[in-house]
Each structure stands twice: as structure tokens, then as C-alpha cells.
Amino acid sequence: VSVTPETCAMVVSATVSTAATTTETPTPAVVPKAAAPARLNHTASFAAVTETSGLPPRVLPPLSLPPPPPPPSVPPPATARHKRPTAAVGPVRSPFRSRDELEFTSGSVGWPLYHLALPVVVTTLLQTVYNLTDTFWVGRYGSPELAALTFSFPLVFLFVALGSGVSTAGRVLVAQYEGAGQGSRASFAAGQALVFSALAALVVAAIGIVGIAPLFRAMGAAPGTRDLALGYMQYILAGLPLLFLAYTFSALLQGYGDALTPLLVVLGSVLLNLVLDPLLIFGVGPVPRLGLEGAAIATLGSRGVAAVAGVGLLLSGRVEPSVRLGDLRPEPSFLGTVARVGVPASLETAAIAVSVTASLFIVGRFDAPVVAGFGIGERVPSPMFLPAVGVSASPIGPTFERVYRF
């Protein structure tokens, strides 16, 4: 490459021009930094900006901070694989239900029937406690008295069976009318059942007063045992209307679907009998020693309280079916309806009572200790089959409700 004098002159001239330009550029002044404010005021800063920019002033809302997050939930401790996790304990509900808590017309029938049958079964078991209590205390009093009680029990069962058809008819008719939505007819049927039950008790009692002595002689009861049994049966037959009314009250409420109220009434009556039995049989303080007759008086007193309480509840309107005084006027035309339903039920129950009575025609030929032992053995199995009777009676009300409402 050849370098000429003109080229060298041009390079020197460009270098001098660049150096001159660099020397003449002024150095910018260093502005000292202002101290940072302790706390940033957003409102003041925005106001200063708006003043310099010419925009209208605007007030900013105060700065709101979000709420703190909730504390993390602690997971429950792990349980062993062979243990079930413990559930929260809630209020324990009673297995007994009132009628208002039961629904018979929709859904499953099983649980309503269970809650209805349970108090009926318990009520039926409590009915046997009367006889078991009498047998227990009279057995401690003496063998002749227990033998007389053994002769009397089947006849009491037979007389109650003859009048039980009225209570059965009342249960069925109340359930039928209530299921059909005819509440006034259900109340009328309940009142008629009470009246016919009392009348039936008077008729059966009259038959018993006339025929009880020949029956005891036919069974082979010894003279001393027969006299004791006659004294016991005189009290029972005199109070037979109270026994019938107590049974009818329970049947009417069970037909309506209320099995809890009869249970409470019978429970109170049984507790009263538990107190009166030893008090009247053995005598305490001013109470005389009445023996077997004391057992009869205790039974009548406790059952009479149940009958009076039951009829009072029906007339007061506190339970359903409520009964008015006009419903207690006997209606002869309604007697046919009661008989059509009640007579077959009476005959069925009476057949069982006759079979039990017939066994005494054989056992009664033996001495008093043998008859007393037979009476004890006969009382023990009764609680085993009577719950089946309660279960069979419980579906009557719900069945008629479903038939008539659907």
C-alpha cells in the first residue's frame, strides 16, 4: 500500500478535530441524594404529582391489608388399622317413640313396626308381673294358699278371655276409622268399646259367681283349698269391670298407634302392685295380715288405678282417641259391629284358657303341694310366649292406615 503526503495530512486533521471535541464537552454537576423518607405517604406523593401535572386533586382510600390466613388445620392422629375411629358422641335417643314420631304411610314399615311393637311387648310382659308377684309372695305365705291361687289363675284367664273380644274389637275399629281419616267415628268406637267392656264384665262376673264353686269341686280341689280359692275369686269377680276397662284402654290406644302411653300406665300399676302385695299379704303395722285375700285386694287396687287413669285420660282429651261423654251412651246398633269382630277373638283366647283349665282336672286330684308346684311351673314359661302376642297386636294400626290412605 503506498502512502502519499495528502493521505497523511487528512489523518492528522481528523485526529485533532476529535480531540478538540472531547475536551470542550462540559462535565455534568453531581446532585446530592435526598434522604429517604421514613415512611412512604401515598396520599402526599399523589397530591404532589397532581400539583405539578395540573391534574385535579384526588383523595386515595386508605390502604387496607388482607386478613391473615387461618391457621392450618391439624390432621387427626392416625388410628391403628385394627381399631375403628371413634365417632362423635351425640344424644342417645330412646328406643320408644310416640305416635307423632312414627310414619306409617310412607317409606319402610320395619322401623315403625319395631318402635310400635316394642312398647306393646313390654306392656304384655308387665301384665305377667302381676301373676308372678302374687305367686312369689303367696308361695312364701303357705302351700295351701298357693294351691288355691293355682286353681284360681286359669279361671281368671278364662273370664278375661271371654270379655277380651270387646277390647280386640275396639282396637280394630279405632285403627280402621283412624286410618280412614274418620276421627269422630274412632272416638265414638272407643266410647262404645268402653261401655260394652264394662257391660261384658258384669255379665261374666255374674256367670262366675254362679258357676265358680261347682268348677272348683269338679277340679277336685280339697275343701280347705276350695274355700281359699272362693275367697280369692270373690274379690276378683267383684273387680272384673276394672280389669276389663284397663285392658280396653290399652287396646284402644294401641289401635290408634300410641303404644307408649299404655306402657307408662301399666308400669305405674305394676310398681304399685309390687308394694301392696307384701304389705297386704303379711301385714305391716296397722295393716292386717290378709293372706291370699290380700293378694286379690292388691291386684284389684293396682289394676283399678290403671283403669281409672286410662278412662280419665281418654275423657280429658290428652290422648287420642279422645272420648266425649256423648260417646259413652250405648248404641245398640253398634253392638253388632263389636260382636262381629270381637266374638271370634274371644273364642280363640278362651280356647287357650280352656286348655290350661283342663290340665287342672288332672293335677287337682293330687295334694296341695303338688298343685302348688304345678302353679309355680305354669307361671315361669308365661313371659316366654307372651311377647309374640304383643308383636302380633302391634301391626293393626299401621296396616289399616296403609289400606285406607292408599
Side-chain angles (χ1 to χ4, degrees):
V1 177
S2 61
V3 179
T4 60
E6 292 83 2
T7 303
C8 293
M10 291 174 64
V11 171
V12 172
S13 174
T15 303
V16 173
S17 299
T18 302
T21 304
T22 306
T23 305
E24 292 175 0
T25 302
T27 305
V30 179
V31 181
K33 250 185 189 182
R39 188 174 182 181
L40 182 61
N41 190 339
H42 295 276
T43 306
S45 302
F46 188 77
V49 172
T50 52
E51 287 180 1
T52 56
S53 61
L55 296 175
R58 181 180 178 186
V59 179
L60 293 177
L63 184 63
S64 60
L65 298 177
S73 59
V74 180
T79 57
R81 296 188 62 178
H82 65 278
K83 293 183 180 181
R84 299 180 63 181
T86 304
V89 179
V92 180
R93 296 192 65 186
S94 170
F96 301 103
R97 298 285 188 274
S98 64
R99 186 186 189 277
D100 297 335
E101 298 178 288
L102 300 177
E103 176 59 44
F104 301 124
T105 58
S106 63
S108 174
V109 178
W111 283 111
L113 283 184
Y114 162 76
H115 290 300
L116 183 62
L118 181 61
V120 176
V121 170
V122 176
T123 302
T124 310
L125 288 175
L126 288 177
Q127 299 286 356
T128 66
V129 176
Y130 292 107
N131 298 336
L132 292 175
T133 305
D134 290 347
T135 303
F136 176 81
W137 291 113
V138 173
R140 290 176 172 270
Y141 189 84
S143 294
E145 287 77 11
L146 184 56
L149 192 64
T150 302
F151 279 110
S152 301
F153 271 151
L155 296 182
V156 174
F157 184 22
L158 177 61
F159 293 150
V160 172
L162 292 175
S164 64
V166 179
S167 61
T168 303
R171 178 193 288 117
V172 172
L173 293 174
V174 166
Q176 180 177 357
Y177 287 130
E178 185 62 30
Q182 301 177 9
S184 60
R185 294 293 295 175
S187 299
F188 174 75
Q192 295 298 299
L194 291 175
V195 173
F196 291 141
S197 177
L199 294 177
L202 294 177
V203 173
V204 173
I207 296 174
I209 292 174
V210 174
I212 193 72
L215 274 175
F216 282 142
R217 283 195 295 268
M219 289 179 184
T225 303
R226 185 169 62 247
D227 293 339
L228 290 173
L230 286 173
Y232 177 84
M233 288 300 299
Q234 286 177 357
Y235 287 97
I236 296 299
L237 291 174
L240 205 59
L242 295 176
L243 270 68
F244 278 34
L245 289 176
Y247 282 120
T248 304
F249 161 73
S250 298
L252 293 176
L253 266 69
Q254 290 168 3
Y256 180 78
D258 180 8
L260 186 57
T261 303
L263 168 62
L264 298 177
V265 173
V266 172
L267 177 61
S269 175
V270 167
L271 294 177
L272 180 61
N273 186 59
L274 289 173
V275 175
L276 291 180
D277 246 359
L279 185 66
L280 296 177
I281 292 174
F282 297 98
V284 177
V287 180
R289 185 185 180 95
L290 300 177
L292 184 59
E293 293 182 356
I297 296 174
T299 300
L300 285 183
S302 56
R303 299 237 185 200
V305 169
V308 172
V311 174
L313 287 174
L314 290 172
L315 293 175
S316 66
R318 296 181 181 178
V319 296
E320 294 291 342
S322 59
V323 178
R324 299 167 297 180
L325 292 177
D327 298 327
L328 299 177
R329 186 181 300 110
E331 187 67 37
S333 61
F334 198 74
L335 179 60
T337 304
V338 174
R340 186 173 62 254
V341 178
V343 168
S346 293
L347 294 178
E348 179 184 359
T349 311
I352 301 174
V354 168
S355 65
V356 176
T357 307
S359 61
L360 279 173
F361 282 88
I362 301 174
V363 180
R365 306 295 175 180
F366 294 89
D367 294 335
V370 177
V371 179
F374 175 77
I376 294 175
E378 190 183 23
R379 297 277 77 78
V380 173
S382 58
M384 300 179 183
F385 67 86
L386 283 179
V389 178
V391 173
S392 64
S394 61
I396 291 179
T399 300
F400 276 110
E401 268 197 290
R402 282 184 171 268
V403 168
Y404 276 90
R405 292 193 183 183
F406 289 91

